[in-house]
Amino acid sequence: WKQPEEDFNTKSQLVVMPGELAVFVNQGKVVQTFTEGTYELTTKNYPFITSLISHLISGGVSAFHCVIYFFRKADSKEISWGTNMPIQVRDKVYGIRTSVRARGTYKVRVVNPETFLDKLVGNNVNYQEQGDLKDYFANEMMSKIKTEITSFLNSYQDEFIGIESHLGEISEALMPQISTMFEGYGLQGVNFTVSAMDVDTSKY
């Protein structure tokens, strides 16, 4: 959440609620990160403010300009995913070419707000809500998911009917790749699961 006001003075107080982080940005660069607590924004307490001071208003109170973003440290709401196109594979038991669709859920949390701002806000990624971020990551995530699931299915020696008994195994194989993808954006992937795999049984 971006603080609407961007002009402050050295008598301002910053209140960061439990479970939040506040990040000060000036001219596109992170200048300070605050954890939960109440802070009096003075040059004595925070020397970085000295470089931001633009002019004196009155009574020795200095004004400065800064953009503040607040981050929630808790996990996001559960986000659903699903393969946009079926994965084409061959059932080795029956010798039948068929298709499989997969779906599941995951969560994310912000672990490095500076990187998050640099990669997304700094690159003018247009997002306001969680759904916008889901769309942003969809293509990269789906590529990794399809690659891993296709590899698993191609090496699978049993019939595909009943493949759902291996969902936990597939989820574990995918989690490191999904986590690595999110790390590059200052996020952490949490509870990534493949909850269902739907096999096209019309050809059996």
Side-chain angles (χ1 to χ4, degrees), residues 176-202:
Q177 298 183 52
I178 300 301
S179 294
T180 299
M181 180 193 75
F182 282 128
E183 284 173 6
Y185 295 91
L187 298 168
Q188 179 181 348
V190 182
N191 297 336
F192 178 88
T193 61
V194 181
S195 59
M197 296 184 69
D198 303 316
V199 179
D200 180 3
T201 59
S202 62

Side-chain angles (χ1 to χ4, degrees), residues 107-155:
K107 297 179 181 179
V108 293
R109 69 170 65 112
V110 177
V111 292
N112 190 327
E114 293 90 346
T115 300
F116 184 85
L117 284 170
D118 180 58
K119 291 289 187 178
L120 297 175
V121 178
N123 288 326
N124 295 318
V125 176
N126 184 25
Y127 76 92
Q128 292 183 336
E129 299 180 353
Q130 181 174 292
D132 298 323
L133 283 182
K134 174 184 175 181
D135 295 339
Y136 180 78
F137 288 114
N139 290 337
E140 186 175 358
M141 175 179 284
M142 202 51 54
S143 174
K144 295 181 183 298
I145 289 173
K146 284 185 174 181
T147 298
E148 185 64 35
I149 290 179
T150 300
S151 176
F152 180 88
L153 293 177
N154 285 337
S155 64

Side-chain angles (χ1 to χ4, degrees), residues 56-148:
L56 293 178
I57 298 177
S58 62
V61 178
S62 301
F64 63 94
H65 178 86
C66 210
V67 178
I68 305 177
Y69 292 92
F70 285 88
F71 290 85
R72 185 181 63 179
K73 294 191 290 183
D75 295 349
S76 69
K77 296 178 182 178
E78 196 168 69
I79 305 169
S80 60
W81 64 266
T83 49
N84 51 356
M85 297 290 289
I87 301 170
Q88 302 298 320
V89 289
R90 183 175 296 278
D91 187 312
K92 292 181 176 59
V93 173
Y94 294 99
I96 297 172
R97 187 173 182 84
T98 187
S99 61
V100 177
R101 290 182 179 271
R103 62 183 185 276
T105 60
Y106 67 96
K107 297 179 181 179
V108 293
R109 69 170 65 112
V110 177
V111 292
N112 190 327
E114 293 90 346
T115 300
F116 184 85
L117 284 170
D118 180 58
K119 291 289 187 178
L120 297 175
V121 178
N123 288 326
N124 295 318
V125 176
N126 184 25
Y127 76 92
Q128 292 183 336
E129 299 180 353
Q130 181 174 292
D132 298 323
L133 283 182
K134 174 184 175 181
D135 295 339
Y136 180 78
F137 288 114
N139 290 337
E140 186 175 358
M141 175 179 284
M142 202 51 54
S143 174
K144 295 181 183 298
I145 289 173
K146 284 185 174 181
T147 298
E148 185 64 35

